[in-house]
Amino acid sequence: MDYILKTYNLTKKYKDITAVENVNMTIKKGDIYGFIGKNGAGKTTLIRMITGLINPTSGNVEIFGHPVSRGNKAFLERIGTIIEFPGSYQNLTARENLEMHRRLMRVSDKKRIDEVLELVNLQHVSNKKVKGFSLGMKQRLGIARALLHKPEFLILDEPTNGLDPVGIKEIRQLIIDLAKTHGITILVSSHILSEIHQMVTRIGIINNGHLLEEVGYEAIKERNRHFIEAKVSNDKKAAYLLENHFAIENYSIIEPGIIRIYESLENSPAINKIFVKNGIDVAEIKISKDTLEDYFLKLTGGENNA
Ligand SMILES: Nc1ncnc2c1ncn2[C@@H]1O[C@H](COP(=O)(O)OP(=O)(O)OP(=O)(O)O)[C@@H](O)[C@H]1O
Ligand SMILES: [Mg+2]
């Protein structure tokens, strides 16, 4: 089976609000699927339907090839989530919190607690009370709890929310490690694309309840690449010079007089010089980045109201 998750025209309506509408999402085994959307876009609602916490108004969810409903919770043993679970007990230690959850989840292997503490890098503070933890440590403890029963599919709703750059990096490293080393498929949501795009293999963009697009890693890289952009008086001659002087083939004339060069970025001064020397007027030459963030903002229509 290739797919861990498939949704079919998944829709959730609340009176006059359509929170999620006709979403067809696919997550393949091994994906780190970044689920991106502004506040109120419908991320949590979709995740709640996926995990059977709420029923869809219409449409279906399949996890591991089986239909999900509130009556069918067997699949829950194979997924781990950090949505809707109560926070940790502040007056208990990390280890005590995990021990409680271990009993609740009927995980018989007591050694599993040390394993998950190590996975999230909290082994050194395992006997400290949670109330002294940073937000990042609390998030990682939440992830440790979600991992206790060895899920195959981990669903993290905004795990980087409110963290500082160091905390975000730690979560990112952890997610990559869980996917690459432990083979766990991961769905991770965020309203800030730049916080997660470096680690994902696929991205789904949701806006106003609609899944606008699902793009793979190659497309992500493609849309996030740097290039030299030159405004020249003679694009054909410029192309000739790029190929013959610099052996550059990875370029394109995006419109008459505007040429983009996707390699040898460090050579932009030399390229400029050769153009001018050969009688080409260079009105502008700059290094640009076609960021995924720009693309996301364009798709979702305006500022990310984070
Ligand atoms: N129980 C509910 N009753 C009524 N409306 C709801 C309910 N839950 C969510 N909504 C509405 O559905 C829409 C989607 O909300 P949702 O929480 O799924 O967004 P989100 O993408 O998770 O946002 P955030 O980034 O703020 O967490 C919002 O307009 C929200 O107000
Ligand atoms: Mg949410």
Side-chain angles (χ1 to χ4, degrees):
M1 181 193 50
D2 266 333
Y3 292 103
I4 296 290
L5 172 84
K6 271 191 170 191
T7 73
Y8 300 89
N9 293 322
L10 200 60
T11 299
K12 182 73 186 180
K13 293 188 171 143
Y14 293 105
K15 284 189 186 144
D16 46 349
I17 295 173
T18 304
V20 169
E21 190 163 25
N22 286 326
V23 168
N24 297 299
M25 177 186 263
T26 55
I27 299 185
K28 292 186 209 137
K29 194 169 166 52
D31 271 344
I32 301 177
Y33 186 104
F35 187 31
I36 302 290
K38 294 189 283 194
N39 293 129
K43 302 180 295 295
T44 302
T45 304
L46 188 115
I47 287 173
R48 284 190 186 133
M49 287 192 276
I50 291 173
T51 50
L53 288 167
I54 55 172
N55 278 332
T57 308
S58 58
N60 299 295
V61 180
E62 251 176 42
I63 293 189
F64 309 115
H66 300 290
V68 170
S69 69
R70 285 216 282 188
N72 170 21
K73 298 229 165 173
F75 67 92
L76 277 180
E77 287 172 10
R78 296 170 66 188
I79 67 177
T81 68
I82 53 160
I83 35 156
E84 305 263 308
F85 274 119
S88 303
Y89 293 95
Q90 301 293 309
N91 275 320
L92 298 184
T93 66
R95 183 180 295 281
E96 286 164 347
N97 266 287
L98 290 171
E99 180 56 28
M100 279 188 58
H101 197 71
R102 183 186 72 78
R103 287 190 217 155
L104 190 74
M105 294 296 287
R106 300 197 174 84
V107 176
S108 56
D109 180 10
K110 290 189 178 173
K111 289 197 305 293
R112 183 66 186 154
I113 289 183
D114 286 302
E115 280 173 25
V116 294
L117 279 166
E118 200 154 318
L119 270 176
V120 304
N121 201 18
L122 286 177
Q123 65 275 38
H124 312 299
V125 290
S126 65
N127 294 320
K128 294 224 158 81
K129 285 191 179 169
V130 172
K131 65 180 172 195
F133 279 16
S134 70
L135 194 58
M137 289 159 81
K138 285 179 187 165
Q139 283 290 17
R140 283 184 281 132
L141 179 59
I143 295 175
R145 198 169 50 195
L147 290 169
L148 261 181
H149 60 295
K150 298 195 176 173
E152 296 155 62
F153 182 28
L154 187 62
I155 298 174
L156 305 173
D157 193 15
E158 307 230 26
T160 51
N161 213 1
L163 300 187
D164 65 12
V166 175
I168 291 168
K169 204 170 160 198
E170 283 169 353
I171 296 282
R172 204 150 55 206
Q173 283 306 324
L174 171 59
I175 287 175
I176 292 170
D177 180 51
L178 292 174
K180 301 268 150 72
T181 316
H182 300 273
I184 301 172
T185 304
I186 295 168
L187 167 60
V188 50
S189 78
S190 178
H191 59 275
I192 303 173
L193 184 58
S194 59
E195 284 184 1
I196 64 164
H197 78 79
Q198 296 102 316
M199 67 177 167
V200 299
T201 58
R202 272 168 17 104
I203 280 182
I205 295 176
I206 189 169
N207 196 40
N208 289 331
H210 294 266
L211 190 65
L212 298 180
E213 193 167 42
E214 283 184 326
V215 290
Y217 179 67
E218 287 308 316
I220 296 168
K221 270 203 317 204
E222 184 85 357
R223 294 204 180 121
N224 216 35
R225 62 186 176 168
H226 295 260
F227 50 83
I228 302 170
E229 188 171 290
K231 208 181 268 182
V232 293
S233 57
N234 185 337
D235 50 27
K236 291 197 183 58
K237 196 168 177 184
Y240 174 85
L241 289 169
L242 287 177
E243 288 184 25
N244 292 287
H245 248 279
F246 297 96
I248 287 174
E249 287 174 359
N250 196 1
Y251 68 86
S252 64
I253 296 168
I254 60 155
E255 56 182 87
I258 297 187
I259 194 159
R260 279 189 186 171
I261 305 154
Y262 300 101
E263 56 182 302
S264 307
L265 299 196
E266 68 289 354
N267 280 338
S268 70
I271 290 170
N272 189 17
K273 210 177 277 175
I274 292 290
F275 282 176
V276 173
K277 212 167 130 191
N278 286 274
I280 300 173
D281 292 332
V282 181
E284 194 181 8
I285 186 162
K286 61 177 182 190
I287 292 185
S288 295
K289 199 178 169 201
D290 213 5
T291 70
L292 201 58
E293 201 79 44
D294 295 338
Y295 173 74
F296 170 61
L297 291 179
K298 225 180 281 168
L299 262 185
T300 58
E303 287 303 298
N304 190 350
N305 56 357

